[in-house]
Every structure is written in C-alpha cells, then in structure tokens.
C-alpha cells in the first residue's frame, strides 16, 4: 500500500485531499497544528485503519517513520484575514516547512508536491494567467507575506529538484470553494454566503468590477491528484476559467439564497488583484484535466453546507 503524508490535513483543501487519497487506496498520514485547520474536518477519518494523524508544526523538524511515497505540503494560512494576522507564521510555513519536508522527501525518495497559488501572479498584467507569466507582485505590500512565501516555496522546490534530483510537482491553485470552508476566513464566497443567510448587507470591496474564477473543490482535488500521480515538474495551474465579476458573484449568491440582502461597497484593499483567470492549457495537455462541476451546481452543494453552519436570518 502506498503511503502519503499530507500537511495541513485539517484544513479545507487538506481534508478533501485526505478523503481522495484514502478513496484511492492509500495509507494517509495527516499532519496539522490547527493554526487555521479544524479537527471537525477530519474527525470522520480517525476510526479508519489507513489514516493516522500527527499534531505537529511543520516549521519544526519533521520525522515520519517508515516508507513514504508522496508528500503533499498544503499547510499554510490561505485567506487574507489569516495571513494579515499571522504574517510571520505564513512566511515560516512557506520557507522553513518546505525546507524540512524536501529534506524528508529526499531521504524517503518520495514525490514532493507543493500547494502554490494564483497569488504568485500578483495583480497581473497578463490575462488570463499562463504558467509562463512571472507575475506582478509587491514584495513589501500587505499581501507580500503570502505571495512571497509561495514564490519562495516554488524556488526551493525547483532547487531541490535541480540539485538533489528530488521528484517534485507544483500546483498553482486558483480560487476554490466548497464544503469545509470557514465562515470567517474572509474570502468572498463564505463572506457573501454567510451574510446573505443572515440577511445582512453583502460587503463588496471596490466597485465590484474585479474578477475571480471559482473552482469547485472536487474538481481541484482531482487535478491535484492527477498531477501528484504524474512525473511533471513545472508549475501547473488548476482552476476554473469561468470568470465572473465580484459584483455579479454577490448578486448570484443573493439570488441563490433567496435573501433580501443588498450590496454595500467599501474601499478596495491595497494590492487586491483586479482580475484573476487561469490559463489551463497545460493542465489539459499534461493531465487531461479540466473542471466538470458548474458554478451553479457547486454553489448549491456549498449552500447546503453553510446553512448548517449559519444561524439563518433570511426572511426574518
């Protein structure tokens, strides 16, 4: 049985990856220190024979006994609220952690995968964003702690691949949504959905003309799994190229929830990207992957999850 270590296992994406690898017949070792993750996301896995869990901070030395075939580094604060409140931890988990885990991958002869992000493109001057675009990032701006942590992660991963021959992969993740997102993580979808369900104003930053491209979590996990099982080493965008403005997205959420919420506008945060859409040509060619779940379908499933989390205020 193949063995995989998944860091950030109690997080939104990490927990879904645990589910997928278990479903594929792997022995899964989850690791998390619950900085932003939740035990609720993985408590259904604890009774399973082929799941084990380590409560550990991956910025410190990492040891896992026995053989390892794959290491997926998905531990990191991932929302603006989190990384603005925890800038040092964000930088450490993007630098010290991959250093520790790449060393482990080298010793174990394991394929190493990092969760990079569309944020490496910054506020892009090229649209849509292909993997060959180097980005437009402010390294000392408020988002720099996250952007540069991920860019460094990519650099050290490629260095270990080039100089030590470690089998590596880099997935650049675009906006993703689905069950297990935190209500308070500050990203557009949970914010809009929780506000609409409570009957509160929907908070849109700027004039709402900035765009995002939302990918349902099952599609994303499928792309990550395919990339992990491949031997491809260059970065690969995984996301849904269906682009929508934030204002239109807020209106979609209001309609879906049946809420009477209205949209209120606030100043756009510094360095907030004006547009975001993945060029997924490489994913199609290398992985035979493209998203299958439509936004309307994915949002309905996500709404059912959020309804159980929110004290509903619609219609009150």
């Amino acid at each position: 049985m193949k063995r995989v270590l998944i860091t950030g296992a109690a997080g939104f994406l990490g927990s879904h990856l645990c589910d997928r690898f278990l479903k594929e017949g792997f022995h899964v070792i989850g690791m998390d220190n619950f900085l932003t993750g939740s035990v609720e996301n993985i408590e259904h896995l604890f009774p399973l024979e082929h799941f084990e869990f380590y409560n550990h901070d991956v910025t410190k030395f990492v040891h896992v006994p026995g053989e390892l075939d794959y290491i997926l580094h998905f531990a990191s604060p991932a929302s603006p609220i989190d990384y603005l409140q925890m800038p040092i931890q964000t930088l450490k988990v993007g630098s010290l952690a991959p250093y520790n885990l790449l060393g482990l991958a080298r010793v174990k002869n394991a394929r190493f995968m990092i969760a990079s992000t569309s944020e490496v493109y910054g506020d892009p001057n090229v649209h849509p964003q292909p993997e060959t675009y180097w980005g437009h990032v402010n390294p000392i701006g408020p988002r720099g702690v996250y952007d540069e942590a991920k860019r460094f992660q990519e650099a050290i991963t490629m260095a270990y691949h080039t100089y030590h021959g470690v089998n590596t992969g880099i997935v650049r993740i675009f906006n993703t949504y689905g069950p297990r997102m935190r209500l308070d993580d500050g990203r557009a979808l949970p914010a809009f959905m929780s506000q609409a369900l409570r009957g509160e104003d929907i908070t849109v930053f700027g004039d709402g003309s900035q765009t995002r491209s939302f990918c349902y979590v099952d599609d994303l996990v499928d792309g990550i799994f395919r990339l992990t099982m491949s031997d491809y080493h260059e970065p690969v965008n995984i996301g849904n190229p269906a682009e929508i403005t934030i204002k239109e997205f807020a209106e979609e959420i209001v309609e879906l929830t049946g809420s009477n919420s209205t949209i209120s506008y606030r100043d756009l945060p510094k360095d907030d990207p004006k547009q975001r859409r993945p060029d997924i040509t490489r994913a199609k060619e290398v992985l035979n992957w493209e998203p299958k779940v439509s936004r309307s379908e994915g949002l309905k499933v996500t709404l059912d999850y959020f309804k159980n989390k929110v004290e509903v205020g619609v219609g009150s």
Side-chain angles (χ1 to χ4, degrees):
M1 177 175 280
K2 298 285 188 182
R3 288 161 50 90
V4 57
L5 169 64
I6 300 175
T7 73
F12 166 49
L13 292 182
S15 63
H16 283 283
L17 282 166
C18 289
D19 289 342
R20 175 63 185 264
F21 275 87
L22 285 162
K23 183 180 176 183
E24 297 286 347
F26 285 74
H27 181 88
V28 174
I29 302 157
M31 190 172 284
D32 207 302
N33 67 344
F34 301 109
L35 187 67
T36 58
S38 169
V39 70
E40 182 182 357
N41 291 336
I42 54 171
E43 60 186 355
H44 64 289
L45 302 179
F46 287 122
L48 302 181
E49 178 185 359
H50 293 297
F51 179 76
E52 56 182 299
F53 181 78
Y54 291 86
N55 186 336
H56 183 69
D57 178 354
V58 289
T59 67
K60 298 172 178 160
F61 178 75
V62 178
H63 172 69
V64 175
E67 294 183 359
L68 274 180
D69 299 284
Y70 300 94
I71 298 172
L72 279 72
H73 179 38
F74 276 70
S76 177
S79 76
I81 282 182
D82 289 339
Y83 56 72
L84 291 175
Q85 289 178 345
M86 296 177 279
I88 307 301
Q89 293 97 322
T90 301
L91 286 162
K92 286 171 69 176
V93 83
S95 55
L96 299 178
Y99 173 71
N100 292 334
L101 294 162
L102 281 158
L104 182 65
R106 186 183 176 197
V107 169
K108 301 287 188 181
N109 196 28
R111 176 157 166 82
F112 177 80
M113 292 282 300
I114 59 159
S116 190
T117 171
S118 60
E119 293 295 324
V120 300
Y121 301 122
D123 187 6
N125 295 321
V126 173
H127 192 71
Q129 293 81 57
E131 292 88 349
T132 51
Y133 176 52
W134 291 356
H136 177 225
V137 175
N138 177 1
I140 60 170
R143 303 173 76 97
V145 294
Y146 184 68
D147 299 357
E148 296 297 351
K150 293 296 189 179
R151 286 159 70 93
F152 176 83
Q153 227 177 213
E154 291 197 11
I156 192 171
T157 296
M158 287 305 295
Y160 266 74
H161 171 70
T162 303
Y163 292 102
H164 291 309
V166 177
N167 185 355
T168 60
I170 300 170
V171 55
R172 288 182 180 161
I173 298 168
F174 282 68
N175 295 76
T176 308
Y177 70 97
R180 301 181 195 160
M181 293 191 87
R182 286 183 10 236
L183 290 175
D184 63 347
D185 83 351
R187 285 180 274 198
L189 187 142
F192 291 175
M193 216 165 247
S194 58
Q195 288 170 336
L197 287 170
R198 292 181 178 125
E200 301 168 356
D201 284 353
I202 305 291
T203 304
V204 168
F205 293 98
D207 61 5
S209 63
Q210 66 270 37
T211 68
R212 296 294 183 268
S213 305
F214 295 95
C215 184
Y216 187 63
V217 64
D218 287 359
D219 281 335
L220 184 87
V221 165
D222 184 53
I224 294 167
F225 183 81
R226 290 183 188 215
L227 182 56
T228 305
M229 294 301 105
S230 77
D231 60 358
Y232 195 76
H233 303 294
E234 297 288 325
V236 178
N237 289 337
I238 300 291
N240 192 321
E243 189 177 12
I244 187 172
T245 70
I246 290 297
K247 181 177 183 293
E248 290 169 337
F249 187 59
E251 291 168 347
E252 266 190 16
I253 298 297
V254 170
E255 183 177 354
L256 176 66
T257 57
S259 172
N260 294 320
S261 298
T262 57
I263 297 175
S264 66
Y265 296 90
R266 297 187 185 174
D267 291 341
L268 193 67
K270 181 177 171 58
D271 298 332
D272 192 68
K274 307 299 187 300
Q275 51 190 0
R276 185 72 86 223
R277 180 188 174 199
D279 180 332
I280 61 169
T281 303
R282 183 174 288 181
K284 288 179 178 178
E285 293 175 351
V286 174
L287 307 176
N288 192 28
W289 177 90
E290 60 184 316
K292 295 183 173 64
V293 180
S294 68
R295 194 167 60 246
S296 60
E297 183 184 353
L299 286 177
K300 287 175 185 173
V301 178
T302 308
L303 176 60
D304 288 340
Y305 174 81
F306 275 92
K307 278 181 175 176
N308 293 324
K309 297 291 179 184
V310 175
E311 199 171 297
V312 178
V314 175
S316 61

